[in-house]
Amino acid sequence: MSSDFIQSWTEGAVGVIQLNRPKVANALNRQMVQEIVEQAERYDRDQEIRVILVKGSERAFAAGADIREMEGETPIRFELADPFADWDRFTRIHKPMVAAVSGFALGGGFELALHCDLIVAATNARFGFPEVSLGVLPGAGGTQLLTRAVGRKKALEWIWTGKHISAQEALQIGIINKIVEPELVEEEAFRLARTIVKQAPIAVRLIKEAVHQAEDVTLADGMMLERKNFYLAFATKDQKEGMKAFLEKRPPIFKGE
Ligand code: CO8
């Protein structure tokens, strides 16, 4: 399927979203963000899909929010249009989201990657928050997501200086999962996605919920949520299948039930 600014298709149980605005390095205008999140939600509801993969082009994952669209904005227009409500919807996607990042992932593009659960990056990937050089700051979660991921010191350094971070540095500090050559980035992201596709889907979903909560709640509350989710997993047929298969020394066949 293709909309104005994205293309989407499925490969097995992987639902792919490709950002497609090549003339402006995949700069994200509001319609494009809406198309991305709506497609992610469609995949999230689709029983056949188990993992969502988001990619850009070799030159750019996304070079941030569309500066041309934003330039003349006013606080009141922002307040009334509430463009960030669409971004909040990413936080409610239950299925794993894997980003395949080549080239620039800047500003809103970096935020989109940070909203994904896993990031596979090409050696040519460049991450950063250049908003400060535009007289503003990240607005789609960057100050919060980056700080949680790398701590206050590095977050302030990167957001204050606006510098581009190499894939190598991003890997060292733990904000991406893997680096590969640009021609292999999609293949590697698919390989990772397919590994997760094989797992029990409801367990995968319960894990995402528990791990995400770890950043927001007290340890005691997080432990309690984990425990409830652990108990809930025992309501699934996949738990029976997984444990039976282990005892019978065969690979499990998970159905997401
Ligand atoms: N917005 C609009 N147009 C863009 C953007 C952008 N973010 N990035 C690139 N373009 C356009 C350029 O204007 C250029 O257009 P044209 O060919 O018409 O001149 C075309 O894309 C190609 O860009 P360059 O010629 O600059 O290509 P280079 O390879 O020299 O450089 C870069 C690529 C490094 C990506 C460079 O274009 C750049 O620095 N872009 C801006 C990056 C940036 O500042 N991003 C942050 C934007 S602010 C933000 O993301 C706030 C997030 C909050 C969410 C908001 C929701 C409403």
Side-chain angles (χ1 to χ4, degrees):
M1 208 173 90
S2 87
S3 311
D4 287 353
F5 300 117
I6 65 166
Q7 290 182 331
S8 52
W9 67 93
T10 60
E11 293 196 29
V14 181
V16 184
I17 299 172
Q18 175 161 26
L19 281 50
N20 186 29
R21 218 185 156 205
K23 284 194 181 133
V24 286
N26 286 335
L28 300 155
N29 61 21
R30 284 187 208 159
Q31 185 188 331
M32 188 170 174
V33 173
Q34 214 167 60
E35 288 178 11
I36 298 166
V37 77
E38 277 170 8
Q39 187 56 45
E41 287 172 344
R42 265 193 290 276
Y43 285 145
D44 209 30
R45 288 190 298 268
D46 184 339
Q47 294 294 318
E48 305 296 314
I49 297 299
R50 294 190 180 181
V51 177
I52 300 164
L53 192 150
V54 184
K55 60 180 291 240
S57 65
E58 188 167 334
R59 175 166 171 248
F61 180 71
D66 185 333
I67 297 167
R68 203 172 291 281
E69 183 185 62
M70 246 182 331
E71 182 224 3
E73 275 305 350
T74 67
I76 299 303
R77 278 225 298 270
F78 267 140
E79 172 67 23
L80 295 177
D82 196 11
F84 296 112
D86 283 329
W87 287 86
D88 291 341
R89 291 157 71 186
F90 288 116
T91 64
R92 293 190 287 274
I93 299 290
H94 298 98
K95 290 179 184 167
M97 292 182 71
V98 179
V101 175
S102 285
F104 299 107
L106 303 176
F110 192 9
E111 283 162 322
L112 178 59
L114 287 171
H115 274 295
C116 293
D117 301 296
L118 302 171
I119 302 176
V120 176
T123 47
N124 72 344
R126 292 292 174 272
F127 301 89
F129 284 117
E131 283 87 342
V132 69
S133 67
L134 301 167
V136 293
L137 63 152
T143 61
Q144 305 304 300
L145 297 172
L146 188 66
T147 307
R148 279 166 162 78
V150 304
R152 192 193 303 176
K153 295 265 182 310
K154 278 286 166 198
L156 282 173
E157 180 191 333
W158 290 349
I159 301 172
W160 270 339
T161 62
K163 74 175 184 180
H164 290 183
I165 303 148
S166 68
Q168 197 57 46
E169 193 176 351
L171 183 71
Q172 267 160 13
I173 204 144
I175 50 172
I176 64 173
N177 297 86
K178 194 147 197 174
I179 307 180
V180 291
E181 291 303 319
E183 61 276 16
L184 296 177
V185 71
E186 187 172 339
E187 190 181 317
E188 186 58 32
F190 267 108
R191 203 190 58 74
L192 190 56
R194 283 195 207 98
T195 310
I196 304 166
V197 159
K198 290 195 197 114
Q199 311 298 347
I202 297 172
V204 167
R205 177 185 175 117
L206 296 174
I207 289 165
K208 176 163 173 169
E209 184 188 31
V211 171
H212 278 240
Q213 285 293 311
E215 290 173 333
D216 291 336
V217 300
T218 63
L219 182 60
D221 286 348
M223 293 292 207
M224 194 50 68
L225 175 77
E226 179 190 85
R227 203 157 303 162
K228 297 292 181 199
N229 281 4
F230 183 78
Y231 297 156
L232 189 57
F234 282 74
T236 65
K237 290 183 185 159
D238 285 344
Q239 173 267 325
K240 309 278 177 291
E241 165 63 9
M243 295 193 178
K244 193 159 175 267
F246 175 82
L247 296 172
E248 292 172 358
K249 302 188 187 304
R250 62 170 174 84
I253 301 165
F254 292 127
K255 297 189 173 149
E257 296 171 0

